[in-house]
Amino acid sequence: MSINKDLLKEQLLILGFTPVDGEVNVYSRKLIFNNKVVDTVTVDFNAKSTGQINWGNPKTVGRLTSSDLSKPEYMVQLYWYIRLVESGYSPENIAIEQPVQLGHKDGFIDLVVFTPDDKPFMALDAKNYGTEANKYTKALKASQGQVASYYRFSTNLEYIGVISAKIEHNSVEPSSYIVSTTQWKKYGSPEEYTKTLENNLTLPNVFRIAPNAVPYNEKNYLLKPTDLIDLNEDTASQMFHGFLTILRKHGISDKTNAFNKVLNLFIAKIVDEFNTPDDKALSFQNYMGGGGMNH
C-alpha cells in the first residue's frame, strides 16, 4: 500500500504539529499540561519516508515498529499518547509498545500507563476508526479477544481499553472503550470470568481520558457543553441498532412506547445542552463510572 505523505502531514497539522523552523519535512508538537511544556514529540520525514517519530521522553519504547506513520493505527497511537500526556499522565509513566507474553507468543501493547509508584495501571490498544475498532471493542466487552488477553501482562492492571480516532476535515473525533478489570481479578482471569456470565452480560465503558478529567480516577469528570462532539451518522446508526438489540434481548413488545420514551430523553438532553452555559456542568448526564463518547 502506497503512503500519501501529504495526507500524513495534513493529519499531523490537525493534531497540532508545526513545521520546525530551519528544517525541511520535520514537524514537532509541544505537549502541554497545566500550561507547562512537559515534553516534545517530533516526526522527521527525512529520516524515514513515512515519518520517523521521536516520542520525547516516555518510560520505554519496546520496539520501533510503530515509531513511524506507515499504518493508520500508528497515527491513532500517536494521537492518544499526546492526549494521555496532556490529560496529566507523565511521559515517564507511559510505555510505548510494551512487551507482553501471550501464551507461547510474544506480543506488544501499544500504550501502557503506569502509576507514579511504577505499577501497571492501564493498557490501551490503538485500532483504526470504525469497523476495526468496533470489532475489537465487541470482543473486549465480552471479556474475549486480543485486547482482553493483555491482562496477562500484569494483574495489577486496573483498566484495559480499545482506543481510536478519526482524523480528517481539520478535526479529530476520538473514540475509546475502556473497561475495568475488577471482575477479572475476582475470578482470576478474563477466561474464567466468561464462564460465569449469565444473560450475556457485557463489561461497560468506565474510564475517560481527557484534559478535564482527573488522572488515575474513574469518577473523574462532569461534562460541559464544550466537551460535547457532534453526533454523526455512523454513531447514530450504532445507537439505533444497539437500542433495537436491547428490545429484542429483553422481549419488549411495545416498541412504539419504548421509542417514544427514548425520544423524550433525547429532547430533554437537547434542551439541557441549549440552556447550559459553556462553563457549567450539564444536568442531563449518564454516569457509568466514567468514560465513553460524549454526544
Side-chain angles (χ1 to χ4, degrees):
M1 182 182 68
S2 62
I3 302 297
N4 187 332
K5 188 183 295 186
D6 290 336
L7 176 60
L8 295 180
K9 292 178 180 180
E10 178 184 328
Q11 290 179 320
L12 288 175
L13 293 176
I14 293 173
L15 296 189
F17 282 80
T18 57
V20 175
D21 289 340
E23 301 280 353
V24 178
N25 292 324
V26 182
Y27 294 76
S28 70
R29 170 73 151 78
K30 293 180 180 179
L31 310 188
I32 300 172
F33 179 68
N34 278 346
N35 298 316
K36 295 181 180 179
V37 176
V38 295
D39 210 346
T40 301
V41 175
T42 61
V43 179
D44 186 349
F45 288 95
N46 299 314
K48 201 167 187 179
S49 62
T50 52
Q52 182 69 51
I53 301 174
N54 182 329
W55 296 95
N57 297 287
K59 180 180 178 65
T60 57
V61 179
R63 63 174 179 175
L64 297 178
T65 304
S66 65
S67 291
D68 62 34
L69 301 174
S70 58
K71 294 183 178 180
E73 59 263 35
Y74 298 162
M75 185 72 78
V76 171
Q77 184 179 10
L78 175 60
Y79 165 76
W80 277 97
Y81 175 71
I82 294 170
R83 187 177 176 100
L84 279 165
V85 175
E86 297 195 331
S87 297
Y89 298 90
S90 174
E92 65 187 18
N93 293 326
I94 304 172
I96 297 167
E97 296 293 330
Q98 172 67 48
V100 59
Q101 189 70 36
L102 302 173
H104 299 295
K105 297 181 179 180
D106 295 328
F108 293 86
I109 306 173
D110 291 335
L111 296 167
V112 175
V113 177
F114 290 75
T115 62
D117 58 354
D118 206 33
K119 292 181 180 179
F121 175 76
M122 178 165 53
L124 300 170
D125 198 37
K127 297 298 179 186
N128 291 333
Y129 188 90
T131 302
E132 184 182 50
N134 292 340
K135 171 186 173 183
Y136 283 89
T137 296
K138 181 179 180 180
L140 179 61
K141 288 180 181 180
S143 301
Q144 298 173 352
Q146 173 188 313
V147 184
S149 72
Y150 291 158
Y151 185 65
R152 297 177 188 176
F153 169 63
S154 174
T155 55
N156 286 321
L157 283 169
E158 295 186 34
Y159 301 95
I160 292 181
V162 175
I163 50 176
S164 187
K166 187 177 182 180
I167 307 169
E168 61 180 22
H169 305 312
N170 205 35
S171 67
V172 181
E173 184 177 330
S175 173
S176 65
Y177 200 97
I178 303 172
V179 305
S180 169
T181 63
T182 300
Q183 293 299 322
W184 300 348
K185 293 179 191 292
K186 179 179 178 181
Y187 289 94
S189 69
E191 294 80 8
E192 289 301 315
Y193 175 60
T194 57
K195 295 177 183 178
T196 71
L197 289 176
E198 296 179 359
N199 301 321
N200 296 317
L201 294 176
T202 59
L203 296 178
N205 188 13
V206 298
F207 199 89
R208 182 169 179 259
I209 301 164
N212 66 339
V214 180
Y216 300 103
N217 190 341
E218 179 179 313
K219 299 178 180 179
N220 58 12
Y221 73 106
L222 285 176
L223 292 176
K224 298 178 182 178
T226 51
D227 297 319
L228 302 177
I229 61 177
D230 291 337
L231 183 66
N232 59 35
E233 185 176 348
D234 290 341
T235 305
S237 177
Q238 291 177 24
M239 293 172 62
F240 176 76
H241 290 292
F243 183 62
L244 288 179
T245 299
I246 292 172
L247 295 181
R248 288 194 297 269
K249 177 180 174 181
H250 296 283
I252 305 298
S253 58
D254 192 353
K255 292 181 174 57
T256 300
N257 183 52
F259 273 104
N260 283 337
K261 291 188 179 299
V262 170
L263 178 60
N264 289 336
L265 292 174
F266 270 104
I267 293 173
K269 188 167 191 325
I270 291 170
V271 170
D272 185 37
E273 290 179 16
F274 271 101
N275 292 337
T276 302
D278 287 347
D279 60 344
K280 301 295 183 182
L282 292 158
S283 299
F284 191 99
Q285 303 204 31
N286 176 35
Y287 177 71
M288 293 181 62
M293 297 289 289
N294 313 320
H295 297 288

